[in-house]
Amino acid sequence: LRLYEMFLGPIDQSKPWDTNGIDGVNRFLKKFWRMFWDGDNFLVTDDKPNAAELKVLHKLICKEQDDVETFSYNTTISAFMIAVNDLADKKCNKREILEPMVVLLSPFAPHICEELWANLGNKKTVCDAKFPQYNPEYTVENEYTYAVSFNGKTRFTVNLPKEMSKEDVEEKVRSMEQ
């Protein structure tokens, strides 16, 4: 209920009450839970996260830090939903990603986060956990999406490294035309 009320919109404005929204937040929390558990099987591993997973986490940390200062809780929760969807698509169940996410979500959904925090093997409360630190190195865009057009009409897009020179980009695209 707390998460739903914060998700509705800015806290200083009145909002319409809709039980469908509660269902949506409930589905989000269930999806978050399934990143940790599959029935009775605890899924969290100690594997190292890849760059894409770290990018999702650090974008979320940055978003929450910015939004909490402006009381924009609804956009923070929306960012959480996007991050959980991205990480679920990547089948991420890595402790280095999920543990900070529990800490980040705990002010909004304290009960489920406290349970997950204990499941992760922590003896103290999640309230005592240190807030994750944003590292901008993980959110740097290394690729650029180029739109490729022929006769004024876009035919396809291609992701290429940002550091490629104009000539290298042209050469790469021309080799793809054939």
Side-chain angles (χ1 to χ4, degrees), residues 141-147 158-163:
E141 294 292 336
N142 297 325
E143 290 186 338
Y144 185 78
T145 303
Y146 293 93
V158 61
N159 292 331
L160 297 173
K162 273 190 166 182
E163 64 272 358

Side-chain angles (χ1 to χ4, degrees), residues 43-47 93-96:
L43 302 174
V44 178
T45 67
D46 290 326
D47 298 343
N93 58 354
K94 297 169 181 140
R95 180 179 302 274
E96 248 182 87

Side-chain angles (χ1 to χ4, degrees), residues 90-155:
K90 294 173 185 357
K91 299 190 182 344
C92 178
N93 58 354
K94 297 169 181 140
R95 180 179 302 274
E96 248 182 87
I97 300 296
L98 297 179
E99 198 167 66
M101 287 189 68
V102 170
V103 175
L104 291 168
L105 187 60
S106 65
F108 304 99
H111 301 96
I112 192 171
C113 289
E114 197 65 57
E115 179 73 20
L116 291 171
W117 190 249
N119 293 158
L120 287 165
N122 296 292
K123 302 298 179 205
K124 294 186 178 184
T125 177
V126 71
C127 298
D128 292 337
K130 188 173 184 224
F131 194 83
Q133 293 299 307
Y134 169 63
N135 185 341
E137 291 176 17
Y138 292 126
T139 59
V140 172
E141 294 292 336
N142 297 325
E143 290 186 338
Y144 185 78
T145 303
Y146 293 93
V148 181
S149 332
F150 300 108
N151 297 326
K153 185 171 182 179
T154 301
R155 304 296 179 178

Side-chain angles (χ1 to χ4, degrees), residues 67-79:
D67 286 352
V68 166
E69 289 178 14
T70 61
F71 302 106
S72 300
Y73 305 128
N74 57 320
T75 57
T76 303
I77 295 165
S78 177

Side-chain angles (χ1 to χ4, degrees), residues 43-91:
L43 302 174
V44 178
T45 67
D46 290 326
D47 298 343
K48 287 290 181 194
N50 61 38
E53 294 163 339
L54 287 167
K55 183 176 185 177
V56 171
L57 173 65
H58 284 270
K59 282 174 67 175
L60 180 61
I61 293 170
C62 180
K63 180 73 173 151
E64 184 167 339
Q65 284 176 342
D66 293 344
D67 286 352
V68 166
E69 289 178 14
T70 61
F71 302 106
S72 300
Y73 305 128
N74 57 320
T75 57
T76 303
I77 295 165
S78 177
F80 259 107
M81 292 176 176
I82 292 167
V84 167
N85 286 337
D86 287 350
L87 292 171
D89 290 346
K90 294 173 185 357
K91 299 190 182 344

